[in-house]
Amino acid sequence: MDIVERFINYTKFDTQSAEDSQTVPSTSKQLIFAKYLKEELEHEGLEDVEMDEKGYIYATLKANVKKEIPTIGFISHYDTSPDASGANIKARIVKNYDGKDIVLSEGIVSSPSKFPEMKAHIGEDLIVTDGHTLLGADDKAGIAEIVQAMCYLRDHDEIKHGDIRIAFNPDEEIGMGAHHFDVEKFGCEWAYTMDGGDLGDLEYENFNAASAKIHIKGVSVHTGYAKGKMLNANRLACEFNAMIPDTELPETTEGYQGFYHLLAMETRTEEAKMSYLIRDHDRESFEKRKDFMEACAAKMNEKYGEDTVKITIKDQYYNMKEKIDPNMHVIDIVLQAMQETGVPPKVEPIRGGTDGAQLSFKGLPCPNIFAGGVNFHGPYEFVSIQVMEKAVDVIVKICEITAGFND
Ligand SMILES: [Zn+2]
């Protein structure tokens, strides 16, 4: 089977995950696809194919040499984003893209004037939607690439490699993909998620993240008789937020700049609740940001009385760079693989988190490599067939280079 057929077959399954679900996986329809995928892996001759009751699939391509080679892994998620429908996806191939508008269906147009990324794919064959659903290249392109690469290695015994483990999981889009991932069972020294965007993406730095909940206690008194008695929590909330520098917000930062984000607030005269996100790539300045918020609360308490402002800060996730830095060969191998397959690497810090970050802190260093999808999570999502093929080449090369790792 070629990669296009493989991928398009996958898109026919609705695997949308759901926030606020109490089950694992979050939607039972994901398991229907998981069973299909498991059978496909068995059919392709992979070994140790297993799927647990939560829908996590693990399999092995056995080594074809005797020597000691580190076991490495490749991971993708099969759920699609809750942000757009994933039902009745009608994938269509636009051959030899000419750089002009693509009419997805009547009145729905994917245009390079709106999505300049399309221009990078002139002359390639693009898989697009009918404009009513997402495509699900995030991250079924990653699955198709991994399976295709395993089949390629299976058919090309002259390429020497160690044990290669692969894993496919549900619920990445709701931030739960790594949660039930069995790192021990996976048994790899390091791994890669094939879940990045366009050609060459390589990510191994993400935010350190915390949430801060602020609770402000006011005193409500009849406004006519409030003098010297009222403590208006609405005003205190504004005062608190005014201490956050304007230059350190999501809307005023980029690249490696961290920020504070006022996510939600609910205020009355009597009490105010605010919730913030704290983000920074650098661990030290991340800690300083948390200290700063504590200091803001302390300042308010000094002015308005103890226990007026209560702050609760919780760490959410950390920058995987901390775990990658002592293992830079994990990145060097990808860079070499990209070079040997003619892929210009694009290394950029993620302004968010990834499953790989969580896995890295569970003991499995796990950077993220491009899968090829563009315009994720919406009806303008597309993937270039040639980029998917490049991703397959990169996976194969990584396995090959790793085989010489101990030489
Ligand atoms: Zn993804």
Side-chain angles (χ1 to χ4, degrees), residues 77 138-139 172-173 195:
H77 65 90
D138 175 14
D139 191 19
E172 188 271 351
E173 299 291 357
D195 192 20

Side-chain angles (χ1 to χ4, degrees), residues 3 72-74 145-146 148-150 152-153 159 164 192-194 198-202 330-346 368-372 386-402:
I3 191 162
I72 61 166
F74 295 91
E145 289 152 9
I146 292 170
Q148 204 68 26
M150 294 307 110
Y152 186 88
L153 288 169
I159 303 173
I164 312 294
Y192 303 96
T193 48
M194 297 299 297
D198 215 339
L199 185 75
D201 275 5
L202 170 59
V330 171
I331 299 301
D332 294 339
I333 287 171
V334 184
L335 292 173
Q336 190 187 336
M338 285 186 177
Q339 195 190 14
E340 288 182 23
T341 53
V343 174
K346 275 194 306 208
N368 190 29
I369 299 176
F370 71 96
Q386 284 72 24
V387 173
M388 288 174 79
E389 286 167 346
K390 276 289 180 200
V392 174
D393 294 348
V394 169
I395 296 170
V396 168
K397 228 0 139 190
I398 289 171
C399 298
E400 193 182 343
I401 296 168
T402 304

Side-chain angles (χ1 to χ4, degrees), residues 100-242:
K100 300 193 182 119
D101 288 1
I102 299 173
V103 179
L104 300 175
S105 59
E106 224 192 286
I108 307 174
V109 176
S110 193
S111 170
S113 63
K114 206 169 152 203
F115 306 112
E117 302 86 345
M118 292 169 72
K119 286 245 158 77
H121 298 283
I122 293 172
E124 297 173 8
D125 305 316
L126 309 184
I127 305 178
V128 299
T129 71
D130 68 356
H132 297 291
T133 65
L134 48 64
L135 179 62
D138 175 14
D139 191 19
K140 287 168 179 157
I143 301 175
E145 289 152 9
I146 292 170
V147 176
Q148 204 68 26
M150 294 307 110
C151 293
Y152 186 88
L153 288 169
R154 176 199 65 197
D155 296 340
H156 291 80
D157 200 46
E158 71 279 8
I159 303 173
K160 300 302 171 202
H161 60 84
D163 281 344
I164 312 294
R165 292 279 280 159
I166 62 175
F168 304 119
N169 62 272
D171 288 345
E172 188 271 351
E173 299 291 357
I174 57 166
M176 298 296 285
H179 235 73
H180 301 281
F181 195 101
D182 193 337
V183 166
E184 215 158 294
K185 185 198 272 179
F186 198 42
C188 293
E189 288 190 36
W190 69 86
Y192 303 96
T193 48
M194 297 299 297
D195 192 20
D198 215 339
L199 185 75
D201 275 5
L202 170 59
E203 301 163 326
Y204 61 95
E205 293 181 72
N206 58 279
F207 274 145
N208 294 293
S211 69
K213 302 249 183 267
I214 318 288
H215 186 263
I216 301 174
K217 212 162 63 185
V219 178
S220 180
V221 182
H222 186 293
T223 48
Y225 311 94
K227 188 170 184 188
K229 296 188 184 110
M230 180 190 278
L231 190 56
N232 186 349
N234 296 310
R235 272 184 7 89
L236 266 55
C238 295
E239 187 176 338
F240 185 93
N241 190 60

